[in-house]
Amino acid sequence: VSANVIPPQTDTLVILGKSYQALLFEELIKIPLLNQQWSNKYWVDQHNGELLRTEQQLGPDMPVIKMTILKPYLS
């Protein structure tokens, strides 16, 4: 199994009518033995580093899970 992260790109997200300047990180996963590959995506707010949205596939031939964080975790 190998995982590589592509250098982040800037992206604008609109969540509940509010625009966010984000960095889009894309993680490429490859399993050569199974001839499988997919990507996971993470959008991070450029100003405070909070995770805004993810699209993740947990394994080969599994559905993509999409999550948008509407309220950040407060410790």
Side-chain angles (χ1 to χ4, degrees):
V1 177
S2 68
N4 296 311
V5 177
I6 296 173
Q9 301 174 2
T10 58
D11 197 6
T12 301
L13 290 179
V14 178
I15 300 172
L16 298 175
K18 183 176 178 185
S19 292
Y20 295 88
Q21 295 303 312
L23 291 174
L24 169 58
F25 292 85
E26 189 168 3
E27 172 187 46
L28 301 175
I29 311 294
K30 293 182 183 179
I31 304 177
L33 188 62
L34 299 176
N35 196 28
Q36 296 281 333
Q37 66 181 27
W38 66 90
S39 68
N40 295 323
K41 297 177 182 178
Y42 307 88
W43 286 263
V44 176
D45 189 311
Q46 285 185 342
H47 302 291
N48 60 20
E50 291 179 356
L51 181 65
L52 298 169
R53 179 176 290 161
T54 69
E55 293 181 5
Q56 299 178 52
Q57 186 174 348
L58 302 179
D61 301 321
M62 295 183 75
V64 174
I65 299 170
K66 298 179 181 184
M67 293 183 286
T68 300
I69 310 305
L70 300 178
K71 184 174 180 182
Y73 171 77
L74 300 174
S75 57

